[in-house]
Amino acid sequence: VFNSSGEFLREFGGMKTKEGSRGRFCGLSIDSSGLLLAARAEKSRSYIQVFNKDDGSVHSVIDSHGEKLRRPTGVAISRNSHGFVFVVDIGTECVRKYRYK
């Protein structure tokens, strides 16, 4: 996280194991209430993490239990108040829609 002057403040969202970092973030969007949604791809699974922008805590995780995300590459949030996130998945060549609020 950087301030308006471009100074580094803090980081969050890292997941560590005894082998080191797992996976990588591959899409990011922030909504008007301060929730940051990030697509994360790991070797065995892909999912969306929802973070609180202010303190970096994990608010929730969106895991597609039926049709799994394979290679998420982009995240966009609906402009209305319904709490939908759209995820581009190039592994299945589709755009998926999830509710996160």
Side-chain angles (χ1 to χ4, degrees):
V1 177
F2 295 86
N3 67 14
S4 60
S5 301
E7 297 173 57
F8 176 78
L9 300 175
R10 67 185 175 282
E11 69 179 40
F12 61 85
M15 293 181 67
K16 300 285 186 182
T17 64
K18 56 185 167 187
E19 296 86 25
S21 295
R22 294 181 58 190
R24 64 181 56 175
F25 290 106
C26 35
L28 179 69
S29 192
I30 190 163
D31 73 5
S32 60
S33 66
L35 293 177
L36 186 141
L37 286 82
R40 187 171 186 96
E42 296 178 353
K43 186 175 182 178
S44 61
R45 69 183 189 137
S46 297
Y47 52 94
I48 308 300
Q49 287 181 296
V50 183
F51 296 98
N52 180 314
K53 173 186 68 93
D54 295 326
D55 64 8
S57 63
V58 175
H59 179 270
S60 61
V61 175
I62 301 169
D63 192 355
S64 54
H65 296 287
E67 292 289 322
K68 297 288 187 185
L69 285 169
R70 291 180 53 201
R71 290 181 60 200
T73 57
V75 177
I77 296 171
S78 64
R79 294 176 72 148
N80 60 28
S81 61
H82 299 300
F84 290 113
V85 59
F86 300 90
V87 182
V88 176
D89 186 356
I90 62 172
T92 56
E93 298 179 349
C94 69
V95 175
R96 299 189 186 276
K97 176 182 171 183
Y98 301 100
R99 177 169 284 178
Y100 69 96
K101 286 186 178 180

